[in-house]
Amino acid sequence: PFAHSALRTVLYSTRTPEGVAFIAKSILASFPHPVHGYMTQSKGWWCEVDDSGESWSTLREPGVIPDRFIREKIGTDLWVAGFQSDDWEQTVRQSVLRHFFAAIANDQLIIQLMRDGEVSTRIDSSNLADELLKAADEARQLLPEREYKLGLGSTLYFHKAITSPLDGKPFIRNIPKLGDVKLYLYRDTKNKDMPDRWAMMRKPRIIVDHMGSGILNRFAAVLICDTDKGNEYLAQLEDPEHKRWHEEETRQWTTQQKKEAHEVLTEIRRFVRDTLKQVRGASMAEEQDIPFLGRYLPAEDESGVKRTRSKSEPIRGVARKNTRPRVEVVDDVPAPGPGPEPGPFPDPGPDPHFPGTEPRPGPKTGPGGDDDIQILSPQDVRFRAFRSGDGYKIILQSDDELSGRLKLRAVGETGQFTVDVTEAVDETDNKQLDVKPSVIDDLSLDAGVKKTLRVKIDSDSDLVLAMGG
């Protein structure tokens, strides 16, 4: 609503069975305070402030709320000051359908748009499908293709997922802290417009976020947690704009509680991935056993080096007696300068194609004020990572004795990406390691000794891992 306010000001008024409440917010500009000269913040509130100025809340006494903002019936008003938009009805209607379609479909919400005191549009479960088609056709003509597909182009099929799910019912998994969580999945393998995305919501059935997956093609899915305890728990992980669930959105939670929350969110994503894999597996043709195919497929050994299999079946016949080509040694390569003997992972040096990869100083302190925790540096540690089983193997080696935290990232053609590490085991010392998103803590390296880690990462795709720091 702030984007439609010439004064960047919105006023909120509500009435519940318990009474009324009112608050207003402005997003203007920072400016020097007229007394002490310090820059003020850009946001301002019309609210109730205590004598200390440290605590504030909504206005709840009818006597201090202007009469025009007091509702007589249960519900909520948003007043947009200096409203400006020629197509406000279409904008509001499309936004409501995109974010609240599931609540409307479940008869939890009825939308009425009014102009000059008269109802111009009413949307409920009986006409929701038609209104979605109408809004999607409008958006398709007005928006770029990608923006349309991430918006109402996906909502169309999220609605189909909850009204016409695969096999007529949702997939269900019991997740600690949440109870039974449901995943409604719709699939049309002949429809190229399917978004290949899944949305998430809790009991109010308002979309919090949606994300893509490459595990299954031509699908749409909606995850709903509508248990009382799950709804209350996820509400505490939800940001004020209702756009994500994350443990850092909680207030006054302990480190252990945040770690548990991270595990709960990881289990939600695991449930979705497992279900998509299950549906994909059920739709695939029966596996075929092709004789001798193993000869031509690479296999990973412990070091991660791809090698052809030694044999899959007895081989008969006469081998050609071709001699190996002779390799000539070039003598004019400059001799290496003084320094330690190269190890098994030679340092490739700076990469001219990727600025910032030149050698950096030694270990640095960690983020977030952990001044006593060192970040291991690629300059000091040789690093190798490869896919192994349901996770990754990482091999580290240093010429000197080091300890600290290992930062991981994924790399690709378009840049570098953060990763979400969910588990790390030190196979060399046989112990579990503490992890945070993108970080493995409490690592120690002995001089010249390889350290092998087994790592799991929350990702729908295979990744190329690199060492940060």
Side-chain angles (χ1 to χ4, degrees), residues 289-301:
D289 185 12
I290 303 175
F292 305 106
L293 179 62
R295 294 181 192 167
Y296 309 103
L297 298 178
E300 285 182 352
D301 64 14

Side-chain angles (χ1 to χ4, degrees), residues 100-285:
F100 302 103
F101 74 92
I104 298 171
N106 202 43
D107 292 321
Q108 292 174 239
L109 185 66
I110 296 174
I111 299 296
Q112 290 187 160
L113 301 179
M114 305 181 70
R115 183 188 291 272
D116 299 327
E118 299 292 331
V119 175
S120 60
T121 304
R122 176 186 168 96
I123 305 174
D124 57 29
S125 59
S126 65
N127 66 347
L128 175 61
D130 292 338
E131 290 291 339
L132 276 171
L133 281 172
K134 173 184 173 183
D137 285 341
E138 293 169 349
R140 191 195 297 269
Q141 297 174 25
L142 294 172
L143 301 175
E145 182 180 8
R146 174 173 171 76
E147 188 174 343
Y148 162 76
K149 286 188 174 181
L150 291 177
L152 284 165
S154 292
T155 305
L156 273 177
Y157 298 103
F158 291 153
H159 177 245
K160 287 183 177 291
I162 61 175
T163 55
S164 304
L166 188 68
D167 297 331
K169 58 184 180 181
F171 297 86
I172 300 177
R173 177 174 293 184
N174 189 276
I175 295 178
K177 303 285 187 184
L178 304 181
D180 286 346
V181 176
K182 303 167 187 174
L183 183 69
Y184 296 81
L185 189 144
Y186 176 78
R187 197 175 188 208
D188 185 351
T189 57
K190 296 180 181 179
N191 188 345
K192 62 181 179 59
D193 291 331
M194 295 296 294
D196 296 345
R197 302 186 71 80
W198 61 279
M200 60 189 77
M201 57 185 68
R202 50 189 181 87
K203 197 169 185 176
R205 299 205 174 200
I206 301 170
I207 274 202
V208 175
D209 195 6
H210 59 90
M211 54 192 67
S213 175
I215 294 177
L216 188 67
N217 63 356
R218 299 195 175 179
F219 82 94
V222 177
L223 179 136
I224 301 178
C225 177
D226 55 6
T227 64
D228 288 338
K229 71 172 184 178
N231 179 63
E232 182 179 352
Y233 188 84
L234 291 173
Q236 298 177 81
L237 303 178
E238 195 166 297
D239 69 313
E241 295 184 344
H242 312 290
K243 289 185 176 180
R244 71 167 186 167
W245 295 330
H246 198 280
E247 63 271 16
E248 294 303 327
E249 298 294 345
T250 59
R251 298 182 181 182
Q252 298 178 340
W253 278 27
T254 65
T255 301
Q256 180 60 32
Q257 287 176 312
K258 290 183 178 182
K259 185 176 181 180
E260 291 174 352
H262 180 76
E263 292 170 355
V264 169
L265 297 177
T266 298
E267 188 59 34
I268 288 176
R269 293 189 289 268
R270 185 177 294 119
F271 169 39
V272 175
R273 288 200 304 270
D274 291 348
T275 303
L276 297 181
K277 289 177 181 178
Q278 176 185 336
V279 174
R280 181 184 65 184
S283 63
M284 292 175 67

